[in-house]
Amino acid sequence: MKHLYKFSLLLLALLLPATALSHDFEVDGIYYNRIKGNAASVTYKGTHYYDYNEYSGSVTIPATVTYNGTTYSVTSIGRWAFWDCTGLTSITIPNSVISIGEYAFCDCSGLTSITIPNSVTSIGNHAFYKCTSLTSIIVAGDNSTYDSRGNCNAIIETASNTLILGCKNTVIPNSVTSIGSSAFYSCSGLTSITIPNSVTSIGNYAFQGCSALEILNFNATSCVDFTSTANTRPFYGLNLSTINIGDSVQRVPAYFAYGMTKLTSITFPKSLVTIGDYAFYGCSGFSGTMTIPKNVTYIGNQAFYNVPSIEAVTCAAETPPSWNDIAMFTTNVYNHSPLYVPLGSERAYMSDQSWGQFVTIIGKEIQNEVLATDISLNHLQMSLQVGGTSQLIATVLPDSTTNKVVTWMSSNPDIATVDTTGLITAVVPGTATITATTTDGSNLSASCVVTVTEDLSNYDNYLSMNDVEAFRGDTIVIPIKMTNEASIISFQTDIFLPDGLELLQEDGEYIIDPSGRMTRTHSIMSNDVSNGAIRVICYSSNYKPFTGNSGDDLFYITIKVADDAEGDYTIQLKNTLLTNTDFVDLVAPDVAANVNVKAYLLGDANNSGSVTITDVVVTAQYVLELNPQPFVFEAADANVDGNITVADVSRIAWMVLNPSQNTPRRAPALWNNGDRMSGEDIILTAGETSRVSIMLDNEMDYSAFQLDLNLPKGLTASKFQLTDRASSHAFDVNTLQSGNVRALCYSPAMTVINGNEGALLTFDVTAAGYVNGNITVDGIELVTADCQSVKLNAFTISVNNASRINESITGKAIAKVEYFNLAGQRMEQPDIGVTLIVTTFADGSRTTTKVIK
């Protein structure tokens, strides 16, 4: 096809005077013609335009050129000047150029970007015809004739609001009224496009050859019929799978989707009045029910002809829409597909000359379609490494929406693609916007900005961050990690923060803390720089390298989340340099991380809008399984570890007492094998009670604790009491659904537990009968004064039943058990030392057992 096209152009050229196609001189490989005065125009090499130059790579056209002692101003790029230069990747046009001629860059399939200077006032037809690799089109802001308004990646003729050239990354502005002929011709990378409601005309061939175009969002409310013959129309021959017609569109133009064999479904808006001739002729991939809205009054000739798989037709119009004598549907549809019409309209349809061709016409109550009123995504921003994937989920409201199907579109598929389910795949570094659009005619959309960074597995030395979650008003600490094969002595990086996130300062300095990988000789400095980032540098005065190389934390940044923040925010590290021990800077890749901010205020467990003592209480109730209401788990999980424990109670108490200060920094719970809890073994007989002490031997200072008691069958606990070590603390216990007893102790004032050894908690245990087992104490968690969670190992308390030996040996029932010391004095219960236990059985016999405790 391309060769035939070129041959046709060649025949045309042979009819033109040869003198009009020659060059006058050549300088530095560029050919020129003299024009008026000392002006020159760039032209092609040979006598005819098909004697083209073999330009490749980047070419810069000079503003002036000197030949034989005369200096010429380069004022134009002539017709065919760079025709078929497939190796040309970029062109720099000087500010002296006033015009670009017809076909000047025709078939420059390797050209990726164009910048039109402000001097250009004329661009000829098809100047960039078939430039299939274009990704960037920029018109200088002060150009009075053309513009690329709103960074749309297109050339727009300003006076007429006509888009004359687009590319695969074009977003058509809502101010454009016309799309010119061949504007997107053969733009093979274009996958989706939205025609805004401002468009009133679309020229011939406008989208022909866009072989990858799958989704068309058509919102033109007053678009005139396409002109010329069927095969010159804008969308002729496309492989579109989805067409979304906007909710204000009243007219579908003739030949609109003519021959689109991959189109599987179509949803018409309630506003639709007219369907043009042959609008969906030959859409053989369509299946299911064709639904025609109630306001349609006219359907054109063969509008749905050669669409054999229509299973049923529903026409909601009470009065049959008119049509011409030529059949609208294929005979097979008339004979085998039922026509559903509004109740009471059956006779009108049966008697209509055209609609009466349906063999089966059924009246039914046709429900009004419920349109979507809102659409949202589970992410508004995200960062992915090259090759990474992430699933976007669209929520369409209300729940009663008739059609919840959405289409997905990437603003730049070269950077990130999205499939029909919303699965994103990162391709190359850069930024792309993924948009979901409703298909029910409401034309609502929601977008997610995707930042794609390098695949770090391809690098040996780099900084990195992990995605984190946060809450409104939260203060979070983000570790910056370093993986390094080389020995690194210093680094430099720029931190870019979005609105809604702020790097905290202390005494006028940003809070950037070193990890243990830095030596005492390392110094960290930071400051705002002109590119809008916060630059961080770190160096060693005696050139000591950082310790380790496994990707452990290198330094920490403290971020304040705005009180009104919600959704996703991307933090980026750019322009990173790592200096090795040979004083060579290693360029590290840009990286990014996502901060997902939830709409809850951290610590506001009862969702009241502020953090108060009530939140401390309801969080404590939750820990004790007392089912407080209302209760927001995410807000109460103050240390964001997925669990709610005494550590969260303490953190919320800290927030209440320190509303204007930063929340203590979070870290994973520690296992402390140095500090320990323990308890003394006890001796019990049926019906007796013994006092149990829980001991805490500690080197660290603690302000709170919780623990669970697992009691053996036949044993109950009561009369829990803190010792003087925690006399000012709040304390409560509750029996959980599991049967365990949970004890919770905390200090709203963050008061430290007194002392470093001895009893901390006491309680009574009573044996209802024979006891066989031990008391297990587990789930032990203590909290330091700075809200650090520390976990201790579980332990057991042995329960010795003095009567169980006698009972098991004799097999006789016990009447009573008495305790005596060595002096023969009766005792209430066994004491420290030697105890004589006298067991009296039901038959009057007795046994005596000596127990040493």
Side-chain angles (χ1 to χ4, degrees):
M1 178 67 182
K2 179 177 179 180
H3 295 298
L4 178 62
Y5 170 74
K6 290 183 177 179
F7 180 70
S8 300
L9 295 178
L10 176 61
L11 293 177
L12 174 63
L14 292 174
L15 300 176
L16 298 175
T19 56
L21 300 176
S22 61
H23 70 271
D24 294 331
F25 62 90
E26 176 264 331
V27 176
D28 296 332
I30 300 178
Y31 296 84
Y32 302 91
N33 276 333
R34 299 182 184 92
I35 49 180
K36 286 184 179 182
N38 289 339
S41 174
V42 179
T43 189
Y44 38 84
K45 176 181 179 180
T47 305
H48 295 284
Y49 76 93
Y50 49 83
D51 294 326
Y52 49 83
N53 302 347
E54 292 292 345
Y55 292 111
S56 62
S58 299
V59 172
T60 299
I61 300 173
T64 60
V65 62
T66 301
Y67 179 73
N68 283 345
T70 302
T71 298
Y72 298 89
S73 176
V74 180
T75 60
S76 66
I77 299 173
R79 301 170 64 215
W80 310 99
F82 292 89
W83 178 66
D84 209 33
C85 291
T86 57
L88 182 67
T89 58
S90 67
I91 187 77
T92 301
I93 302 172
N95 211 35
S96 59
V97 169
I98 299 172
S99 64
I100 300 174
E102 294 179 344
Y103 300 98
F105 295 92
C106 177
D107 283 342
C108 291
S109 56
L111 191 62
T112 60
S113 62
I114 304 168
T115 299
I116 306 296
N118 59 16
S119 56
V120 173
T121 58
S122 173
I123 299 176
N125 291 333
H126 311 299
F128 298 94
Y129 192 69
K130 290 187 182 181
C131 295
T132 56
S133 297
L134 279 177
T135 59
S136 173
I137 302 175
I138 301 172
V139 178
D142 50 355
N143 189 303
S144 59
T145 306
Y146 303 101
D147 66 81
S148 54
R149 64 193 70 167
N151 299 317
C152 61
N153 277 313
I155 299 177
I156 299 171
E157 189 177 64
T158 304
S160 64
N161 288 315
T162 299
L163 189 150
I164 63 174
L165 178 67
C167 69
K168 61 184 178 182
N169 293 333
T170 295
V171 177
I172 303 175
N174 201 37
S175 54
V176 167
T177 57
S178 298
I179 299 174
S181 298
S182 305
F184 292 86
Y185 188 89
S186 288
C187 186
S188 56
L190 186 68
T191 59
S192 61
I193 195 72
T194 297
I195 310 295
N197 57 21
S198 57
V199 171
T200 58
S201 67
I202 304 176
N204 293 336
Y205 304 104
F207 292 92
Q208 284 198 27
C210 296
S211 56
L213 187 61
E214 294 183 350
I215 301 172
L216 171 64
N217 300 313
F218 188 80
N219 301 326
T221 56
S222 57
C223 188
V224 299
D225 275 339
F226 305 145
T227 57
S228 300
T229 60
N231 61 1
T232 67
R233 301 188 188 278
F235 305 113
Y236 177 76
L238 296 183
N239 294 321
L240 284 167
S241 60
T242 303
I243 296 178
N244 303 316
I245 301 179
D247 60 350
S248 298
V249 174
Q250 296 184 342
R251 185 183 190 197
V252 174
Y255 295 93
F256 178 62
Y258 186 96
M260 293 185 187
T261 58
K262 293 189 176 181
L263 187 66
T264 58
S265 64
I266 185 71
T267 300
F268 296 117
K270 293 191 295 184
S271 58
L272 194 67
V273 176
T274 300
I275 300 174
D277 295 347
Y278 306 97
F280 297 92
Y281 183 99
C283 294
S284 56
F286 183 92
S287 61
T289 299
M290 176 65 67
T291 300
I292 299 169
K294 65 179 299 183
N295 293 324
V296 172
T297 59
Y298 174 80
I299 301 176
N301 293 335
Q302 298 190 0
F304 302 103
Y305 206 79
N306 279 345
V307 187
S309 299
I310 296 177
E311 297 175 3
V313 177
T314 296
C315 188
E318 295 181 358
T319 300
S322 63
W323 57 1
N324 291 334
D325 292 336
I326 301 177
M328 178 172 61
F329 292 95
T330 303
T331 302
N332 180 67
V333 174
Y334 290 130
N335 292 338
H336 300 287
S337 303
L339 169 64
Y340 296 98
V341 300
L343 281 175
S345 298
E346 301 96 315
R347 185 176 298 277
Y349 278 86
M350 290 177 182
S351 61
D352 184 271
Q353 182 177 357
S354 300
W355 291 99
Q357 297 179 64
F358 277 92
V359 173
T360 304
I361 299 177
I362 302 171
K364 71 170 186 176
E365 186 175 346
I366 299 177
Q367 300 291 331
N368 290 328
E369 182 180 20
V370 178
L371 295 179
T373 59
D374 184 67
I375 180 175
S376 60
L377 299 179
N378 57 328
H379 293 290
L380 300 180
Q381 296 184 45
M382 69 169 61
S383 60
L384 290 173
Q385 291 185 31
V386 169
T389 61
S390 184
Q391 182 68 54
L392 280 180
I393 299 173
T395 300
V396 177
L397 295 177
D399 290 337
S400 57
T401 301
T402 307
N403 174 14
K404 290 192 174 187
V405 176
V406 300
T407 58
W408 297 92
M409 177 183 71
S410 172
S411 66
N412 197 333
D414 286 344
I415 292 174
T417 62
V418 62
D419 68 9
T420 56
T421 69
L423 181 67
I424 301 171
T425 301
V427 182
V428 298
T431 301
T433 300
I434 307 299
T435 302
T437 304
T438 55
T439 61
D440 65 346
S442 59
N443 198 36
L444 302 175
S445 62
S447 297
C448 172
V449 177
V450 179
T451 301
V452 179
T453 57
E454 298 278 6
D455 181 359
L456 295 181
S457 64
N458 296 326
Y459 291 83
D460 295 324
N461 304 280
Y462 56 86
L463 300 182
S464 63
M465 300 176 288
N466 292 334
D467 294 343
V468 296
E469 290 187 345
F471 296 86
R472 285 179 175 173
D474 198 2
T475 298
I476 56 177
V477 177
I478 298 179
I480 309 298
K481 306 171 184 294
M482 182 173 71
T483 298
N484 53 298
E485 184 177 90
S487 292
I488 303 299
I489 61 174
S490 62
F491 71 84
Q492 169 183 319
T493 191
D494 289 350
I495 304 173
F496 287 83
L497 295 174
D499 291 341
L501 301 183
E502 175 189 2
L503 187 57
L504 282 184
Q505 299 184 53
E506 191 171 83
D507 298 328
E509 298 289 336
Y510 287 114
I511 301 176
I512 300 175
D513 295 325
S515 74
R517 297 184 65 180
M518 296 188 189
T519 68
R520 293 182 179 179
T521 62
H522 280 96
S523 299
I524 296 181
M525 301 176 63
S526 60
N527 193 40
D528 297 322
V529 289
S530 58
N531 62 8
I534 298 168
R535 179 161 295 167
V536 179
I537 64 172
C538 178
Y539 60 92
S540 171
S541 57
N542 60 359
Y543 318 116
K544 286 270 190 178
F546 300 108
T547 62
N549 60 2
S550 61
D552 292 334
D553 299 351
L554 181 64
F555 65 96
Y556 304 90
I557 57 176
T558 303
I559 302 294
K560 179 67 169 66
V561 180
D563 290 339
D564 59 352
E566 182 178 356
D568 299 283
Y569 297 82
T570 300
I571 299 176
Q572 299 184 68
L573 300 183
K574 294 184 175 183
N575 310 318
T576 301
L577 298 175
L578 307 176
T579 307
N580 65 18
T581 50
D582 293 326
F583 303 102
V584 175
D585 282 337
L586 308 177
V587 178
D590 295 344
V591 297
N594 190 62
V595 179
N596 178 245
V597 180
K598 297 184 178 180
Y600 304 109
L601 179 65
L602 190 64
D604 184 17
N606 68 344
N607 202 26
S608 65
S610 61
V611 181
T612 68
I613 190 62
T614 304
D615 300 300
V616 179
V617 173
V618 297
T619 305
Q621 289 178 328
Y622 181 88
V623 175
L624 294 169
E625 294 190 1
L626 294 174
N627 193 31
Q629 294 294 331
F631 183 77
V632 180
F633 183 97
E634 293 88 348
D637 183 15
N639 63 359
V640 197
D641 64 354
N643 298 301
I644 295 180
T645 66
V646 68
D648 301 294
V649 178
S650 297
R651 285 183 183 275
I652 297 174
W654 195 97
M655 294 176 190
V656 173
L657 292 174
N658 301 273
S660 62
Q661 299 184 37
N662 301 331
T663 306
R665 299 183 182 180
R666 303 185 194 111
L670 300 177
W671 284 94
N672 189 326
N673 293 322
D675 295 347
R676 61 188 294 267
M677 272 191 176
S678 62
E680 293 184 341
D681 297 341
I682 59 173
I683 299 173
L684 280 178
T685 58
E688 291 191 331
T689 299
S690 180
R691 194 73 176 163
V692 176
S693 296
I694 302 293
M695 321 295 287
L696 174 64
D697 295 331
N698 55 295
E699 294 181 0
M700 299 176 65
D701 289 334
Y702 300 108
S703 65
F705 72 86
Q706 77 175 61
L707 54 82
D708 290 348
L709 300 178
N710 185 345
L711 301 170
K713 186 177 181 181
L715 201 67
T716 58
S718 62
K719 297 183 179 180
F720 287 84
Q721 185 175 352
L722 295 174
T723 68
D724 290 343
R725 295 188 64 184
S727 58
S728 62
H729 286 59
F731 180 75
D732 206 349
V733 294
N734 188 46
T735 301
L736 309 181
Q737 291 183 355
S738 63
N740 288 354
V741 176
R742 177 163 294 171
L744 182 70
C745 169
Y746 63 93
S747 169
M750 305 301 288
T751 302
V752 172
I753 292 171
N754 297 322
N756 298 100
E757 61 181 3
L760 177 62
L761 170 67
T762 63
F763 57 93
D764 286 348
V765 289
T766 302
Y770 174 79
V771 176
N772 183 17
N774 299 319
I775 300 173
T776 301
V777 183
D778 60 8
I780 305 170
E781 184 171 350
L782 295 98
V783 182
T784 64
D786 61 355
C787 294
Q788 173 71 54
S789 177
V790 178
K791 293 187 177 182
L792 301 185
N793 293 318
F795 63 93
T796 60
I797 300 173
S798 296
V799 180
N800 294 313
N801 193 309
S803 63
R804 67 183 177 188
I805 298 175
N806 292 328
E807 186 173 356
S808 62
I809 293 174
T810 63
K812 296 187 294 185
I814 298 172
K816 66 178 179 178
V817 178
E818 298 171 288
Y819 303 101
F820 301 90
N821 61 21
L822 289 177
Q825 296 170 327
R826 189 184 299 274
M827 304 168 59
E828 292 297 325
Q829 59 185 12
D831 202 353
I832 301 298
V834 178
T835 302
L836 299 176
I837 304 176
V838 179
T839 305
T840 303
F841 297 99
D843 62 1
S845 61
R846 292 183 178 182
T847 61
T848 300
T849 305
K850 182 170 69 174
V851 175
I852 301 175
K853 180 179 179 183

